[in-house]
């Protein structure tokens, strides 16, 4: 049995690294006494597969984790239902990490990291609305946006403009102005910090929050767990 978990990472725990979040879930699964499958060999590890890593310091409403469970528990009973898994995991996770949904998926389903094509983000900038609107207009009108990255230990110059799929002003927030961005993940994930370094180096973000991770399928885009209605892909963004 394989289940997919959608969870939120909010508050002070946003400063916890992706690797530490993986350790948190390993401990939580043990505390919840779930029949997790392990790899073979001298150092068995639980069979867990996370979605795209969230940069340290960012919040998220859309983190994903695939968990492989034994078909039968130690006492021969079937594994818990998705609803039971939801309740048991939520009870042992620390403050700031909250399970939003659990569904069963095909054991042979693609790895989440490979399937994600783009992510939606809220980016709060410490600028006024007029400055934010000008920034958006300049960014979307640009033919190229060049950033310096490191590849195999060497610097490289990449054009990230094709990965800026959408950028809009949402409105005023206490810290300034909120933007809504959709950034591509192919061939290499574009992070909000890279975009802002290129187009707004003097306006560091006050808050960044991932809203969705999207998968393209049959001509449309879908959530790894479909919490947002396909006809209104930005409903969660407008409500938050």
């Amino acid at each position: 049995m394989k289940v997919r978990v959608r969870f939120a990472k909010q508050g002070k725990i946003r400063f916890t690294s992706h690797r530490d979040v993986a350790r948190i879930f390993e401990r939580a699964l043990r505390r919840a006494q779930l029949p997790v499958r392990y790899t073979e060999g001298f150092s068995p590890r639980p069979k867990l597969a996370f979605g795209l890593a969230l940069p340290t310091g960012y919040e998220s409403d859309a983190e994903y984790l695939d968990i492989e469970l034994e078909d039968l528990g130690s006492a021969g009973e079937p594994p818990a239902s998705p609803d039971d898994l939801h309740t048991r995991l939520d009870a042992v996770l620390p403050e700031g990490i909250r399970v939003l949904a659990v569904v069963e998926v095909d054991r042979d389903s693609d790895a989440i990291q490979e399937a994600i094509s783009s992510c939606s983000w809220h980016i709060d900038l410490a600028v006024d609305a007029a400055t934010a609107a000008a920034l958006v207009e300049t960014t979307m009108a640009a033919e190229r946006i060049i950033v310096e990255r490191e590849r195999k230990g060497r610097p490289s110059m990449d054009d990230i403009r094709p990965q800026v799929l959408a950028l809009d002003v949402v409105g005023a927030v206490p810290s300034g102005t909120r933007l809504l961005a959709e950034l591509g993940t192919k061939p290499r994930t574009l992070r909000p910090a890279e975009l802002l370094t290129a187009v707004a180096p003097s306006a560091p973000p006050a808050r960044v929050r991932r809203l969705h991770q999207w998968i393209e399928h049959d001509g449309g885009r879908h959530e790894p767990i479909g919490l947002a209605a396909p006809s209104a892909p930005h409903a969660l963004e407008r409500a938050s």
Side-chain angles (χ1 to χ4, degrees), residues 196-213:
L196 295 177
T197 297
V199 303
S202 61
R207 181 190 183 199
V208 178
R209 181 159 58 105
R210 178 149 62 191
L211 305 172
H212 299 284
Q213 297 187 47

Side-chain angles (χ1 to χ4, degrees), residues 91-104:
V92 295
L93 286 166
E95 182 179 355
I97 295 182
R98 181 167 55 94
V99 175
L100 301 177
V102 180
V103 299
E104 185 173 356

Side-chain angles (χ1 to χ4, degrees), residues 32-227:
Q33 298 182 333
L34 297 177
V36 180
R37 296 185 71 194
Y38 279 76
T39 60
E40 298 179 355
F42 292 104
S43 300
R45 303 291 300 175
K47 288 193 172 184
L48 309 179
F50 285 85
L52 296 175
L54 182 70
T56 303
Y58 289 5
E59 293 183 308
S60 178
D61 297 327
E63 298 308 288
Y64 290 95
L65 167 64
D66 284 352
I67 306 170
E68 290 195 33
L69 301 171
E70 297 289 355
D71 293 329
L72 295 175
S74 58
E77 75 281 2
S81 68
D83 285 345
D84 189 32
L85 286 167
H86 187 155
T87 301
R88 289 165 67 177
L89 268 179
D90 235 3
V92 295
L93 286 166
E95 182 179 355
I97 295 182
R98 181 167 55 94
V99 175
L100 301 177
V102 180
V103 299
E104 185 173 356
V105 295
D106 192 295
R107 183 165 281 175
D108 296 325
S109 58
D110 293 337
I112 307 175
Q113 286 192 10
E114 297 176 3
I116 299 299
S117 59
S118 65
C119 296
S120 297
W121 303 87
H122 268 165
I123 304 171
D124 295 355
L125 294 180
V127 298
D128 59 31
T131 302
L135 169 66
V136 168
E137 183 178 359
T138 300
T139 300
M140 298 308 292
E143 293 185 3
R144 304 179 73 199
I145 301 175
I146 305 300
V147 300
E148 182 176 326
R149 289 167 159 171
E150 186 175 295
R151 181 174 289 124
K152 296 183 178 179
R154 297 182 178 180
S156 67
M157 306 305 291
D158 292 346
D159 179 14
I160 62 171
R161 178 60 186 86
Q163 292 176 277
V164 185
L165 306 178
L167 186 63
D168 298 292
V169 174
V170 176
V173 292
S175 58
T177 305
R178 175 167 294 170
L179 305 181
L180 173 61
E182 184 175 353
L183 307 180
T185 65
K186 309 293 184 183
R188 182 173 175 178
T189 299
L190 175 58
R191 297 183 176 187
E194 291 179 309
L195 174 63
L196 295 177
T197 297
V199 303
S202 61
R207 181 190 183 199
V208 178
R209 181 159 58 105
R210 178 149 62 191
L211 305 172
H212 299 284
Q213 297 187 47
W214 297 109
I215 295 173
E216 292 186 0
H217 182 66
D218 290 339
R221 64 176 191 169
H222 308 270
E223 295 261 15
I225 291 179
L227 295 186

Side-chain angles (χ1 to χ4, degrees), residues 3-22:
V3 296
R4 178 162 294 167
V5 178
R6 175 171 175 165
F7 65 96
K9 182 184 179 186
Q10 300 169 342
K12 293 181 179 179
I13 206 164
R14 69 185 184 276
F15 297 111
T16 303
S17 71
H18 180 72
R19 182 171 294 181
D20 285 337
V21 169

